[in-house]
Amino acid sequence: FIEQSYDSGFKGGWRLFDSIMNAQLNSSRILQTITSAKTDSVELRFIILKKGGLCNFRYPGSPDPVLKEEVNRIMKETCKYWIPAQIGGRYINGYTQLVFTFKINPADREHPVIINAKNPLPARPRDIILEKD
């Protein structure tokens, strides 16, 4: 028989997540502390709970504290939109990670700060074929 598994994800897909992040972004707070053009990233590791919600936020390395705080705030705002992983039709607590890339350019009046997120984990097979012994 075939057991289907599904990775965790965001309701509406990654484009919707990016648009929500950019709409929720507090650019003025970031521009108060970062005054020159730069690109920076923040890696976030977390768990999507099977009953909904996020927990165990971990930030490897030493990200910029203002950017880390902004990622933390955005993730709390989008908490209810995350879909937990599934195995065999049952939801499970699922570990995942995202890398947020901030493009900061104070000289750009329209979009001084742009944020994108990407999952650096390799995609895993969706269907696992199990053989009976």
Side-chain angles (χ1 to χ4, degrees), residues 98-113:
L98 294 172
V99 175
F100 295 85
T101 304
F102 289 85
K103 294 178 184 171
I104 303 163
N105 185 2
D108 185 347
R109 298 279 185 214
E110 279 189 45
H111 304 288
V113 182

Side-chain angles (χ1 to χ4, degrees), residues 1-5 87-88 126-130:
F1 65 94
I2 296 176
E3 179 178 299
Q4 292 185 330
S5 65
I87 291 181
R126 293 287 188 199
D127 297 324
I128 301 168
I129 299 175
L130 303 173

